[in-house]
Each structure stands twice: as structure tokens, then as C-alpha cells.
Amino acid sequence: MSTKSSSKEIKNEGKRDFLIISTYAMAGIGAASVAWPLIDQMNPAADTLALASTEVDLSSLEEGQAITVTWRGKPVFVRHRTPKEIKSAKEVSLDDMRHPETDEERVPNEKFIVLVGVCTHLGCVPLGQKSGDVKGLYGGWFCPCHGSHYDHSGRIRKGPAPTNLEVPSYKFLSENVIKIG
Amino acid sequence: MIKYSSKLFSNGILKLFLSLIIICFSSVSYGAGEKINYPQLNWSFSGILGTFDRASQQRGLQVYKEVCSGCHGMRLLAYRNLKAIGYNEDEIKAFASENSVSTINDDGEVIERPARPSDKFVSPYPNDKAARSANGGAYPPDLSLIVKARPDGANYLHALLTGYIDAPADKKVPDGMYYNKYYSGNLIGMPQPLYDDGVVYADGTKATPDQMAKDVTAFLAWASEPEMEDRKRLGVSVMLFLLLLTTLSYFAMKQIWAPIKKQ
Amino acid sequence: MSKSKFKNPVVKWIDHRLPVFSFMDHELNHYPTPKNLNYFWNFGSLAGFALVTMIVTGIVLSMNYTAHVDYAFDSVERIMRDVNHGWLIRYIHMNGASFFFIVVYIHIFRGLYYGSYKAPRELLWILGVLILLLMMATAFMGYVLPWGQMSFWGATVITNLFSAIPLVGESIVTWLWGGFSVDNSTLNRFFSLHFVLPFVIVGVVILHLVALHRFGSNNPIGIDVKGTQDTIPFSPYYTIKDLFGLSVFLSFFAAAVFFFPNFMGHPDNYIEANPMVTPAHIVPEWYFLPFYAILRAIPDKLGGVLFMFGAIAVLFILPWLDRSSVRSSQFRPIYKIFFWILLLDCILLGYLGAMPAEGIYVILSRIATAYYFFHFLILFPLLPFIEKTKPLPFSISEPILGGAATASAMATREKK
């Protein structure tokens, strides 16, 4: 650059007033607002959200049986607990639990326990739904990946998982029909 | 002198060139086929700021359901989409549950369950071949995109639905075909669908064929472009933003360039 | 290099080891640009903007698209109906292709008018033609992806062009299709290539820019820059001018996207592909129409294909076809008239490409095709022998002859 044109530049530098700054600011705002649609398109689409809740009929589920339903692409465990299981879930002491929660907090209708069947450690699906499955030391569920043991209320009792099995939001539409999500 | 005349010449060329582009575009967009003139209606949804008429759309849904859906599916539309034309969740649930979809139960048997809002509109035929054979070989097209899939779709559809007249004496109409003055070739496989009081509108609107054609077209136009109202609304703000940016950048440019232009 | 021009210590540290900031400062900020560029020089940066827009929206669309004959059409409609802002992104991509071609065609005709392809910018021009070819391939394959009727039949017709090649034509077409007709394998490979080719274009664009910055931009009077008095730094002068041009461009683009999104498309492409039924009038996208007209103007299958590709091939050798030593048409009174005739000829070809191949249209497209090749193969080499060009100004700073030209300037001109 010759001295002539750089002095011209400096002169212009001083002239960059409100008009020029606001022009570039406007362009910046425009560019930033275009980013949102491009980001938001990765969020769940309308058809995915429409499938975000599912209804399950539990009338054919006998005492001691369990079913696994799919909800939002994940397994949801529903188990019809026996009186013995309910009793053990309610009476156990919370003192030495890693994540102390009472059974009443976790199971609104004591007969049916509803859990997201994903181990809170690293996301494996625990065993215990089928009659022949290993159910772990506490008779609930057992995660084969890293050995987490869950009790009849889905609470973590032994192993690496940090928290209890998640309870999805659900409600009873009638005596035997639940709506998950 | 020479410079002046060449400028005049290129100006003339430029004008010729612009008018040629306009001619090209207008004739190309009409398509090359034989042109049938049909009435150009003033739709509420046409134009830059046009929006859909909810009442007309709802009547149109009724016409679709009671008249068209016997043969024509709308597989890209879901029942939940009806929220956009003014129905609430319970109405949609009830509307959906009148249809049934087949699914596989836990025992592996194919069973029918009532449709849910998340389901797509249930088609009248299980597959294209069934649709074809039930209609004498003529496939009743899916209507999800029909307004976008025909040139000047809304006007064409309205014209077609109201275009059934007696065939001229010299025209022979074969069995299973019908005469329509707006259909290309005039012989159409679809019998006249709309008659006076073919449906009974809940809002008391008189159900003339013309009214029903307008209503069902309004409904189908929405089904083709459900994003239209959002699109135009966003478009207006984007245009205003760009107008402002263009003005600002023009004056900023003038200011930055002033010392150069002065030289 | 010892004394860094950057104040920020982080920038300074990085720049000393990896001189990206110096590079950007030199090529985008101080880059000396002729001071007399008119608005036609905006279209290069606009083309770059269009390319980036297409790549960004394209990547986003590919996250939601399914390349399978059974799902492609529905997945595009899912983008239009269910994906958040999907309609906006798809309409930008769809109309973006058209606007990209508009910008690039104007860019090319600007080059033709001002002789930007002449020495020493021959490679710059050739890289540009290569970009055009890659764009055409990319656009064609992209149009197949929605799997509508026009997608399917466009793919069928264009791939069938290769069957005109003697002996191996049929095998090549089967190889292109990966089957015996346009089908799932074809769709999958087109998706793959449509995804990757834009990045090849980016590579060639970078070479295009390297070649451009070697000698700098041409300018409306087409004479070389004589010194710093003829140039100004790119920033802020051309950055603000490009921003203004971009806002004007975006206004047109947004008007199309938001209010006439399907104007440049074809209704038939909203009907799912049906290999059993061909639409009554199949036409390619508008930007291919001039080439399509040339294809149909030739009554022989192989001949048509050769002429169509020849129409682009002549662009590659244009720097050597044009024998004139004067770049800008401003000083070529006869060529200037022929330039406008060529432009009209191309528009006429575009119009004829959209018309049915019958009657007067066939005759007209033959005349227009003949003119196109006459212009490149005969006019360009021979015109300089009969054309008397106007005297060139001495420099960009002194565009008016004799007026401000100083005695010393006159002296240098004598020497030349």
C-alpha cells in the first residue's frame, strides 16, 4: 500500500460512523436469525412428537407377570407385583440406599410398577422382565453390562448405577389403562 | 455522436431483452399443452397476504369425507394436522377413531384398531392395484398434494368438479367414462361427484355443487401447502428486514465510497 | 514478518506459526481491486454466497432425507410438513439452485462482455467453466432426489443420452443406472454424488480464486491496472458494495422462497415417480433449457448429444478462439452488437427448449443453434480481422482520452 492510500484509509476509519456500524450490525442480526431454523430442524419433528405418548392396556397382565412396551423408542417395564413383592418394596429401610425414595413416591398404584427400562449407569436394558431372567440380589432387575442390582421398586441397591430406574410420567385413564407420556 | 448512438442501441436491446424474458416466462409457466380456459376465482388464500378461510376448509373436510374419501386417499395428511384448520384434540380423536388401521398384536395376529390422531389419513384401498381394479382401471389419485401437482391447481380443481355437462351429440362417451368440459380430452373416469345438497352443512351454508367445489378446494389447497400461512407471515417480516438492510447498506456504501467518487 | 501487524497477542502468536490471519488480511482486506468495477462484478461473490447457502441447507436436508425409492418422496413431504422449519429449508434449497444458476449465468455473460477470459486469465475462465459443468451435474442429480415424476423421467432421459455413444453406449447406461432402468441403485448413487460434488465445487472455487488473485480482477474498460492509483483495497469498499449487492439479491431470493416457491418448479414433480407413466410434457429445469433445445435441434441422436456437450466445450477453448487483443466490448463496436445477439440467442434457445419439438420451434431452434456455434467458432476468431476497435484509454484513473493524461503518461504510451 502506498502512503497515499493508507492515509486515505485512516481518514475513512474515522468516518465509520453510526450508519456503517448499524449496517453491519443488521447484517449480523440477519445471519444469526438464519441459524435458528438450521439448528431447530434437528429437534424432534411434529410426527415424532405426535408419537410421544402411548396407551397401554394392562387388563390381561396377571399377577407376577411383566410386559415391556416401547415408548419414545425406549423400553418401558410394567410389572404386576405380587403382595409379597409389594410388601418387601414398602418395608425395606431407606437408610443405606444410594438414592433413597419410598415405594409410595415411585408407584402410585401399588399393583403396577411402571419404569423406564434403561439402566441409569450407561444406558443398557436390565434383565428381569421374562420369567427365566436373572433378577439380581434384590429380586427386581439386574443390569448385565456392569452389574447393577435393582429392587422391586426399581431402586438401585448394589452396583455402579448412580440413581434409581426412572419413572416415566404416566396416568391411569381407567382402572386398567395407562397413558405414558 | 458514435457513443451516443451505441448507447441508444444497447438501451433498445436491453428493453427488447427484458420484454422477451417476460414473454418467455409467461408462456413457459402456462405450459406447452393445449390450453383450456377455466374460470379464475378469487381465492382467499391467493395473493401475497392471502390466508385460508377456516369455515370453508371445515366444510371442505366434510365434502372430502362424505364424497371424495370413498375413492381418494390423502396419505400424507395426519389426523393431528386438522388442528391447523380449527379442530380441538377431542374432535380430532373422535374423527380419527371412525377409521381403523391394521396392526399386529402381541400374538402376531393382524388386528384392526381405531385410528389415532398420530395416524395418517386411512386410504380407501389397501394398495394401488386394488384402487385401480375397483375403478375400472382408472387410478383415483391421492389428494394430499393435488393442488400443487396441477398447474393453476385451485382453479383447475374447482373447474373440474363443476365441469360435468352433457356430451355434445357428435361425441361418443364410452361406458365408464364421463364428459367434462374442463378435463384434457374431455373424457374422465370419475363420475360427477357433486350434486345439490350432496352434503348437509352444519353451519347452514347452501350445499350447491359450486359451493362444495370451492370448499373442498380450499381444504385441499391447505392439505397441499399446510405451511402457507406461516410462510407468508414470515416472508413479510423477512422482506421488511431486507428492505431496511438494503437501504442502510446503500447509504453506507455511498458514504464509504464518497472520497473515491470525488477523485 | 518481524513486526506483526496484529495487536491481539493470541492472533499474533497464531499468525507467527500459521499465517492464516496475514493471508486473510492480504487477500480479503488489503487485496488491491480496480476502482472502476461496476455492479456486474458483484455476481462472483453472490455465486460464492449461493454455493455456501446450498451446501448448508443441503447438509441439513440430508439429515432428514431417505434415499430409497419407497421413502424418498414421502421423506421430502415429511420435511415439508413435520420437520421444524423444514419447508423453509427445502424451499431455500430448491429455489437456491435456480438463483445460483441465474447468478452464475450473469457472471459468465459479464465475462463474455468484458473479455475477462483473455490472457492472462485463461485458466481462471477454464476453472469457471469447470465449475459450471460440476454445477450442472450436481443440479441434475439433486433434482432426481425428491423422486417425483419429473425427477424420474428427467433422470431417464438424461442418462439415456449416453446410449448415443457408439458400441459401449448401452453398457454405460446400464452402469450409470446400476440396473436396467432408473431405480433404487440409481437414486442411491445420485444421492451420494449430489452430496459430494458440491465439495468438489468448493475445491475448484478455491482454485478459481487463487487464479483470480494472481492478476486481480478484470474491469469494465478491460485494461491492466497500471499502479496503486488505479486500485483501492477490497475492504471496506468492495465489502460494503458486496453487502449491498447481497441485500438486493436476497430480496429477490426471499420473494421467491416465501411468495412464489414453486414458480420455477414443475407441478408434475409433486406426483410420485411412476415408471409406467410418462408425463405429457417433460421439460428439464429452466437452467438446462438452452442445452436441451440444442439437443433436440439436431435430428440425429449422437449428433444432438455431441452438439449439446459441444456447446459447453467451446467455452473451454474460448480464450484461444477469440483473437482480439482488446478485452472490453466498450471498445469493440461490432462485437458489442454480436454479444447482445448471443444473449438473445441463448434466451431464445431457452424458450424453445420449453416448447414442444414440432413445427416452427424445430426450425427456430436449428437457426439459434447454428448462430450459437457460428458466434463461437467463426465470429470470435475472424471478427478481429475486420473490426476497428476504439482507442483505449491510458489507465483506469484517466478513462477519458487526452483529457487528464499528463505528458509523462503520454510518453509511456509512446514507448508502448
Side-chain angles (χ1 to χ4, degrees):
Chain A
M1 280 304 106
S2 73
T3 43
K4 194 185 158 198
S5 66
S6 28
S7 72
K8 203 169 15 183
E9 248 171 87
I10 291 160
K11 208 175 134 203
N12 262 302
E13 209 92 10
K15 276 199 155 189
R16 288 177 184 221
D17 62 353
F18 181 70
L19 176 65
I20 293 160
I21 291 167
S22 48
T23 305
Y24 281 109
M26 278 292 275
I29 292 167
S33 34
V34 170
W36 175 241
L38 299 174
I39 295 165
D40 191 34
Q41 56 85 22
M42 281 169 77
N43 276 320
D47 59 337
T48 312
L49 292 175
L51 294 172
S53 67
T54 184
E55 287 176 21
V56 188
D57 185 357
L58 304 174
S59 51
S60 59
L61 193 64
E62 310 252 328
E63 210 171 77
Q65 281 187 329
I67 53 163
T68 306
V69 293
T70 314
W71 172 67
R72 297 188 182 173
K74 288 181 288 195
V76 166
F77 295 163
V78 185
R79 192 187 277 183
H80 189 162
R81 300 192 292 187
T82 62
K84 207 178 124 202
E85 288 170 342
I86 296 169
K87 195 160 171 266
S88 94
K90 282 182 190 294
E91 287 177 357
V92 68
S93 151
L94 302 181
D95 292 347
D96 42 346
M97 278 193 195
R98 185 171 301 150
H99 182 188
E101 276 181 318
T102 62
D103 191 58
E104 287 78 6
E105 284 174 63
R106 296 176 53 79
V107 192
N109 176 343
E110 61 176 29
K111 276 204 310 193
F112 298 107
I113 178 164
V114 183
L115 298 166
V116 176
V118 176
C119 181
T120 57
H121 179 221
L122 290 170
C124 296
V125 177
L127 298 172
Q129 286 293 91
K130 283 187 232 131
S131 50
D133 276 357
V134 182
K135 292 187 166 66
L137 297 172
Y138 299 88
W141 291 269
F142 170 70
C143 181
C145 291
H146 306 94
S148 291
H149 299 258
Y150 297 94
D151 67 10
H152 294 301
S153 193
R155 290 173 295 207
I156 179 66
R157 301 292 288 273
K158 186 170 187 284
T163 57
N164 300 337
L165 287 178
E166 192 196 331
V167 179
S169 68
Y170 65 96
K171 61 180 179 198
F172 279 83
L173 298 179
S174 65
E175 200 189 339
N176 287 319
V177 178
I178 56 167
K179 184 184 179 190
I180 310 172
Chain B
M1 192 59 209
I2 292 165
K3 199 173 178 193
Y4 177 73
S5 65
S6 79
K7 199 160 201 169
L8 200 72
F9 178 74
S10 53
N11 272 350
I13 292 263
L14 200 71
K15 267 183 202 146
L16 189 69
F17 161 64
L18 285 177
S19 41
L20 208 82
I21 288 184
I22 292 164
I23 294 168
C24 288
F25 259 120
S26 48
S27 52
V28 169
S29 57
Y30 274 114
E34 73 277 37
K35 212 169 130 194
I36 301 172
N37 286 311
Y38 33 81
Q40 298 288 308
L41 271 64
N42 188 16
W43 300 99
S44 74
F45 51 84
S46 56
I48 283 171
L49 298 173
T51 54
F52 292 117
D53 172 353
R54 294 276 171 274
S56 176
Q57 279 177 304
Q58 296 197 356
R59 291 195 298 268
L61 173 65
Q62 189 186 348
V63 175
Y64 168 72
K65 186 184 150 194
E66 292 177 17
V67 182
C68 319
S69 70
C71 302
H72 295 275
M74 288 189 85
R75 66 186 172 85
L76 297 172
L77 210 64
Y79 294 109
R80 66 186 154 83
N81 296 141
L82 295 175
K83 206 174 162 191
I85 63 169
Y87 290 100
N88 65 32
E89 262 169 52
D90 292 334
E91 289 168 324
I92 293 171
K93 216 167 171 177
F95 186 88
S97 64
E98 288 171 29
N99 304 277
S100 63
V101 287
S102 54
T103 181
I104 294 167
N105 71 4
D106 292 340
D107 302 321
E109 294 154 346
V110 178
I111 54 158
E112 297 279 316
R113 65 157 173 81
R116 301 182 188 128
S118 59
D119 286 315
K120 295 286 167 74
F121 271 45
V122 177
S123 291
Y125 302 103
N127 52 59
D128 290 3
K129 281 188 176 150
R132 211 175 279 282
S133 92
N135 290 283
Y139 173 63
D142 187 271
L143 299 181
S144 318
L145 280 167
I146 201 78
V147 173
K148 251 166 139 179
R150 299 286 181 274
D152 195 15
N155 287 320
Y156 171 72
L157 212 62
H158 170 265
L160 189 78
L161 290 173
T162 53
Y164 288 88
I165 51 167
D166 291 331
D170 57 332
K171 186 97 179 176
K172 217 173 126 54
V173 180
D175 258 4
M177 298 297 265
Y178 305 88
Y179 192 86
N180 188 309
K181 63 178 166 176
Y182 295 120
Y183 191 67
S184 168
N186 295 125
L187 294 176
I188 187 169
M190 173 171 75
Q192 179 173 352
L194 302 177
Y195 292 95
D196 267 326
D197 298 315
V199 300
V200 179
Y201 283 139
D203 63 3
T205 308
K206 178 99 179 73
T208 60
D210 180 63
Q211 182 64 40
M212 288 187 279
K214 278 178 186 157
D215 291 340
V216 80
T217 302
F219 170 68
L220 293 173
W222 163 77
S224 280
E225 296 190 286
E227 90 295 345
M228 193 205 73
E229 289 180 355
D230 286 343
R231 171 159 59 76
K232 288 177 176 174
R233 209 177 307 124
L234 183 58
V236 170
S237 11
V238 169
M239 293 310 289
L240 286 176
F241 172 84
L242 286 171
L243 187 69
L244 189 61
L245 183 64
T246 307
T247 317
L248 273 177
S249 56
Y250 178 76
F251 287 108
M253 179 179 71
K254 284 286 150 201
Q255 182 162 343
I256 289 176
W257 276 77
I260 304 290
K261 294 282 175 194
K262 243 183 265 167
Q263 277 176 7
Chain C
M1 215 51 236
S2 55
K3 246 192 148 183
S4 176
K5 47 187 162 273
F6 300 107
K7 288 197 187 87
N8 185 318
V10 179
V11 173
K12 209 164 163 178
W13 190 91
I14 295 173
D15 197 66
H16 185 63
R17 288 153 182 84
L18 179 73
V20 280
F21 296 102
S22 293
F23 173 80
M24 288 191 324
D25 188 53
H26 185 255
E27 299 298 335
L28 301 172
N29 195 17
H30 291 299
Y31 175 60
T33 314
K35 61 184 185 185
N36 61 333
L37 301 186
N38 60 29
Y39 283 115
F40 285 105
W41 266 264
N42 277 56
F43 287 87
S45 71
L46 287 180
F49 176 83
L51 176 61
V52 171
T53 305
M54 294 304 282
I55 289 179
V56 170
T57 51
I59 288 173
V60 162
L61 286 173
S62 75
M63 294 180 189
N64 297 295
Y65 171 75
T66 310
H68 186 287
V69 289
D70 291 341
Y71 305 110
F73 187 85
D74 286 10
S75 75
V76 171
E77 277 305 314
R78 179 175 173 272
I79 291 171
M80 294 298 291
R81 290 158 192 268
D82 287 335
V83 173
N84 304 317
H85 314 282
W87 60 266
L88 174 62
I89 298 163
R90 186 196 169 225
Y91 275 155
I92 289 176
H93 198 74
M94 191 174 125
N95 286 279
S98 283
F99 276 81
F100 196 4
F101 272 98
I102 292 172
V103 165
V104 163
Y105 282 148
I106 295 175
H107 190 60
I108 292 171
F109 275 100
R110 189 268 289 154
L112 284 172
Y113 187 83
Y114 295 109
S116 302
Y117 47 85
K118 286 185 199 176
R121 297 188 181 84
E122 302 96 322
L123 277 179
L124 173 61
W125 171 265
I126 287 172
L127 288 166
V129 181
L130 192 60
I131 293 171
L132 175 66
L133 260 187
L134 287 168
M135 270 176 71
M136 289 175 141
T138 309
F140 159 66
M141 287 188 275
Y143 194 53
V144 178
L145 303 186
W147 208 241
Q149 275 288 68
M150 281 293 166
S151 301
F152 182 88
W153 293 101
T156 302
V157 169
I158 301 296
T159 47
N160 261 315
L161 291 179
F162 293 91
S163 70
I165 302 168
L167 300 173
V168 291
E170 288 298 331
S171 319
I172 287 178
V173 173
T174 309
W175 173 76
L176 281 175
W177 287 341
F180 304 102
S181 62
V182 173
D183 207 338
N184 200 40
S185 316
T186 325
L187 180 63
N188 270 291
R189 61 192 59 186
F190 278 15
F191 179 50
S192 168
L193 291 170
H194 180 73
F195 199 106
V196 81
L197 279 183
F199 297 97
V200 178
I201 295 179
V202 169
V204 184
V205 165
I206 290 170
L207 295 179
H208 191 66
L209 287 175
V210 172
L212 171 72
H213 283 220
R214 179 74 179 84
F215 295 103
S217 297
N218 184 28
N219 65 79
I221 54 177
I223 61 170
D224 288 333
V225 164
K226 294 284 193 308
T228 49
Q229 73 279 8
D230 289 346
T231 65
I232 44 177
F234 191 82
S235 182
Y237 301 104
Y238 285 108
T239 36
I240 188 72
K241 195 174 178 180
D242 279 345
L243 178 63
F244 169 64
L246 181 64
S247 325
V248 174
F249 166 76
L250 283 177
S251 304
F252 284 101
F253 187 28
V257 166
F258 289 106
F259 301 112
F260 313 100
N262 292 306
F263 179 72
M264 283 177 281
H266 199 291
D268 276 325
N269 225 30
Y270 284 109
I271 304 171
E272 193 170 3
N274 181 355
M276 301 297 136
V277 183
T278 310
H281 297 283
I282 61 163
V283 281
E285 288 282 81
W286 70 265
Y287 37 81
F288 292 134
L289 289 174
F291 302 99
Y292 192 58
I294 293 176
L295 171 77
R296 295 192 308 181
I298 311 296
D300 175 65
K301 187 175 175 182
L302 179 60
V305 174
L306 289 178
F307 271 83
M308 188 181 74
F309 285 111
I312 296 171
V314 292
L315 293 175
F316 277 107
I317 52 166
L318 174 62
W320 295 278
L321 287 174
D322 185 356
R323 310 296 299 171
S324 170
S325 56
V326 175
R327 289 199 190 103
S328 173
S329 296
Q330 287 188 10
F331 307 102
R332 299 185 63 187
I334 304 179
Y335 172 69
K336 191 185 204 169
I337 296 167
F338 281 107
F339 168 84
W340 289 107
I341 295 176
L342 177 70
L343 183 57
L344 289 175
D345 188 60
C346 290
I347 293 166
L348 177 65
L349 279 169
Y351 171 75
L352 294 169
M355 293 295 118
E358 59 201 24
I360 182 79
Y361 299 125
V362 177
I363 297 160
L364 277 175
S365 52
R366 283 182 191 158
I367 295 170
T369 303
Y371 177 77
Y372 184 91
F373 286 96
F374 161 79
H375 186 101
F376 280 94
L377 297 176
I378 295 169
L379 194 71
F380 267 124
L382 298 184
L383 189 63
F385 293 106
I386 48 168
E387 184 178 45
K388 193 178 178 306
T389 56
K390 292 186 199 169
L392 293 178
F394 169 63
S395 81
I396 293 171
S397 303
E398 295 148 46
I400 297 150
L401 256 187
T406 60
S408 69
M410 286 298 207
T412 3
R413 206 158 104 231
E414 293 299 305
K415 256 188 266 167
K416 228 182 150 190

